[in-house]
Amino acid sequence: MAESEEEVDVLVQRVVKDISNAFKRNPNIDEIGVIPCPEARYNRSPIVLVENKLGVESWCIKFLLPYVHNKLLLYRQRKHWLDREALVDITSTLLLLNPDFTTAWNVRKELLQCGVLVPEKDLYLGKLALTKFPKSPETWIHRRWVLQQVLQRFPAAACRSQQQHGEMESSELQRSPMLSDQLTRTLHEEMKVCCDAACRYPSNYNAWSHRIWVLQHMARGNIKFFHDELSSMRVWVSMHVSDHSGFHYRQFLLKELMTELSQAPSSSYASQNRPSTAPSSSPPHPSHTEANGELTGAEASGDEERQLNSATVLQLFHQELELCSDLIQSFPGHETLWSHRRHVFYLWHLWRRDLEHHCSCNGDAEAVYASSDSDLQAVGLQSHVNGQPGADEAMEVEGTSLPDPHDSKRLKRGVPLPDPPSLASEHGFVSGVLDSCCNHEQKRFAAAYKKWIDTVVNQAR
């Protein structure tokens, strides 16, 4: 083992070079790790590359980490000069071993801004660091900064907006699909990185917060992508029933879908799957009658779109509460599941109240009640009166897919939708749990949920 300072410098420089060469030999490395090895037993490099896995023998870290740390600090203090290639190698080595060293990420920001690095290379480095340190806050912060640079370089959202208004030149029109595809690949890659980090560290708040940030900045208004995320997360939360951060992510998705469907016409969902010839317009206000007492085509279409979107929201809440019921009964005694159910039911309560308020604020008195009753009946909200089921029985939900809001035949045929959530249905579910379950914690959570319904929700009505 090296003892003198000169020998240590030679050893560490060789290790840094070996790490750099490992990435050149295999650019598809997808995981890093530390190999327990108290001392160097063989005269060989401590860097081990097997398939796509990179390992560092632990004995060399006590020499390697202080060396690259001091080199970088001396460079920042302008006491030591490093060329750009050496800076890239030193910061890469340092961040793979200690990704929470902010100075190293700042140096890489400068290298990226001056064109020495490309955003994809830093995203790849951060992805590898997260395989060993999945909760590293500095890595997630730097990752968001890099993604902001990507968004500035590929403003796909701006391109789509210009394309809709016919303001793009022919060359820009040809380039827009390419930029959109690159952003889509980046978006899916971020979802995968976040999912891997969440699996490696339970309740990984940093990973889930980053995932929310990515959707807010790269998928805003994309109803289909939000619903695909909600559907794909069912399996994950079913396997991690105590991970509050994962359920909080589902609450975010549900709230975003509820907001988008309440604001946008139903045709916006279909327009994301097939090109439209004209930009979509917002649905009109609740209709007024013409002189002959009949609705115009635009007014009738607006009412239909509002009903279809409301039906979609109803289906989303029904499926989410059904998932909660299945998980609560299958995994008794998990407080996270009860907290999630509380949040979902309260979101439903607020959405229904806002819908009724919207109907009551438009049109004269007679039109208000007619429009309100029509909307509520169309989505099944009137099937419970004073907590009692209505005359029409709800059909069983098939699978977990989101109904296409563009399919108006469902409403025209009068096919019944699932019964909407209600205080009576929640009381019935809680009573069933209290009567059938022997788990003490489960009964305690059920009693607390029942008390919350009786106090908070009833007072908010």
Side-chain angles (χ1 to χ4, degrees):
M1 182 179 293
E3 296 181 358
S4 67
E5 184 176 349
E6 292 79 8
E7 290 176 328
V8 170
D9 287 346
V10 172
L11 168 67
V12 172
Q13 290 174 15
R14 189 185 70 183
V15 172
V16 172
K17 201 66 178 176
D18 288 344
I19 294 176
S20 177
N21 291 334
F23 283 102
K24 293 177 181 178
R25 292 199 310 270
N26 187 352
N28 298 318
I29 295 174
D30 57 13
E31 187 176 357
I32 62 170
V34 175
I35 303 173
C37 184
E39 58 184 17
R41 298 179 180 179
Y42 307 99
N43 186 21
R44 66 181 187 187
S45 173
I47 306 304
V48 180
L49 179 61
V50 178
E51 296 181 352
N52 294 333
K53 316 299 178 184
L54 180 67
V56 181
E57 293 182 355
S58 59
W59 66 266
C60 75
I61 295 180
K62 61 183 178 181
F63 303 110
L64 181 60
L65 194 56
Y67 173 85
V68 292
H69 182 273
N70 291 334
K71 281 285 185 182
L72 190 62
L73 288 182
L74 289 175
Y75 168 78
R76 294 296 283 181
Q77 296 169 1
R78 302 183 183 277
K79 297 180 179 179
H80 181 76
W81 171 251
L82 293 172
D83 58 36
R84 292 178 173 180
E85 183 178 356
L87 268 179
V88 171
D89 292 342
I90 285 179
T91 54
S92 298
T93 303
L94 178 55
L95 291 170
L96 290 175
L97 300 176
N98 179 23
D100 286 330
F101 189 49
T102 309
T103 302
W105 287 121
N106 290 338
V107 170
R108 293 187 73 88
K109 286 184 176 71
E110 295 173 357
L111 293 174
L112 195 149
Q113 288 176 329
C114 66
V116 176
L117 293 175
V118 294
E120 290 74 17
K121 189 167 184 178
D122 253 22
L123 290 175
Y124 175 64
L125 177 65
K127 174 185 175 181
L128 289 181
L130 290 171
T131 61
K132 174 62 178 174
F133 306 93
K135 203 178 178 181
S136 168
E138 293 299 327
T139 305
W140 292 112
I141 292 172
H142 181 75
R143 197 171 190 86
R144 286 192 284 275
W145 184 88
V146 175
L147 288 173
Q148 288 177 336
Q149 310 308 306
V150 173
L151 289 175
Q152 292 176 6
R153 192 176 69 178
F154 301 128
C159 290
R160 285 196 298 268
S161 176
Q162 292 178 5
Q163 186 176 2
Q164 287 179 353
H165 292 85
E167 298 175 359
M168 296 183 66
E169 298 179 357
S170 58
S171 59
E172 292 176 330
L173 274 171
Q174 295 174 357
R175 187 167 173 260
S176 178
M178 180 182 66
L179 299 182
S180 180
D181 290 343
Q182 291 179 355
L183 281 177
T184 300
R185 287 195 298 269
T186 302
L187 179 60
H188 285 286
E189 178 65 21
E190 287 304 299
M191 297 297 103
K192 185 178 183 301
V193 170
C194 293
C195 186
D196 291 343
C199 291
R200 293 176 185 274
Y201 196 100
S203 295
N204 193 337
Y205 173 81
N206 294 321
W208 291 108
S209 297
H210 178 79
R211 194 166 186 165
I212 291 175
W213 183 93
V214 170
L215 290 186
Q216 288 175 332
H217 290 77
M218 302 181 69
R220 173 69 70 181
N222 192 332
I223 297 178
K224 183 180 184 301
F225 191 90
F226 273 81
H227 174 258
D228 290 344
E229 276 288 287
L230 190 68
S231 299
S232 65
M233 285 299 300
R234 287 179 67 94
V235 176
W236 197 95
V237 296
S238 298
M239 297 174 63
H240 302 79
V241 293
S242 293
D243 196 311
H244 178 76
S245 296
F247 281 97
H248 176 263
Y249 180 67
R250 285 190 70 84
Q251 294 162 15
F252 161 76
L253 293 173
L254 193 62
K255 189 173 182 179
E256 287 295 312
L257 281 169
M258 180 182 69
T259 302
E260 292 293 338
L261 289 169
S262 298
Q263 294 177 351
S266 62
S267 57
S268 63
Y269 180 86
S271 66
Q272 293 173 8
N273 295 321
R274 60 173 179 269
S276 58
T277 57
S280 59
S281 59
S282 58
H285 292 292
S287 57
H288 297 281
T289 58
E290 289 185 324
N292 59 3
E294 296 181 355
L295 297 177
T296 65
E299 291 170 336
S301 176
D303 287 340
E304 184 177 286
E305 288 177 347
R306 184 172 62 253
Q307 292 174 6
L308 290 169
N309 286 337
S310 298
T312 304
V313 173
L314 167 63
Q315 189 83 332
L316 287 172
F317 278 106
H318 176 84
Q319 292 174 359
E320 195 66 22
L321 287 174
E322 193 177 58
L323 173 65
C324 283
S325 300
D326 292 342
L327 294 179
I328 286 174
Q329 293 170 349
S330 301
F331 305 97
H334 288 271
E335 187 176 10
T336 300
L337 300 176
W338 288 98
S339 298
H340 181 61
R341 188 182 189 94
R342 180 181 304 181
H343 189 94
V344 171
F345 186 75
Y346 192 67
L347 275 181
W348 162 260
H349 173 75
L350 293 179
W351 179 82
R352 175 176 177 174
R353 188 180 64 181
D354 291 343
L355 177 64
E356 294 172 346
H357 176 73
H358 172 77
C359 293
S360 65
C361 289
N362 293 275
D364 51 39
E366 293 183 0
V368 165
Y369 288 108
S371 176
S372 177
D373 291 342
S374 174
D375 285 344
L376 296 178
Q377 288 172 0
V379 297
L381 294 179
Q382 291 292 338
S383 61
H384 289 269
V385 180
N386 295 328
Q388 299 299 324
D392 294 333
E393 294 294 332
M395 67 179 295
E396 182 180 356
V397 179
E398 299 178 357
T400 61
S401 61
L402 179 69
D404 188 350
H406 201 68
D407 183 13
S408 59
K409 295 181 179 179
R410 180 182 179 90
L411 292 180
K412 292 179 180 179
R413 290 195 305 264
V415 178
L417 292 169
D419 285 339
S422 65
L423 291 175
S425 63
E426 291 302 290
H427 276 292
F429 173 76
V430 173
S431 298
V433 171
L434 292 174
D435 294 339
S436 61
C437 186
C438 299
N439 186 289
H440 174 71
E441 290 296 313
Q442 181 85 321
K443 288 187 173 182
R444 183 168 66 88
F445 296 144
Y449 182 72
K450 182 177 182 297
K451 182 179 179 181
W452 174 80
I453 292 176
D454 293 337
T455 56
V456 178
V457 177
N458 274 327
Q459 290 177 5
R461 295 181 69 182

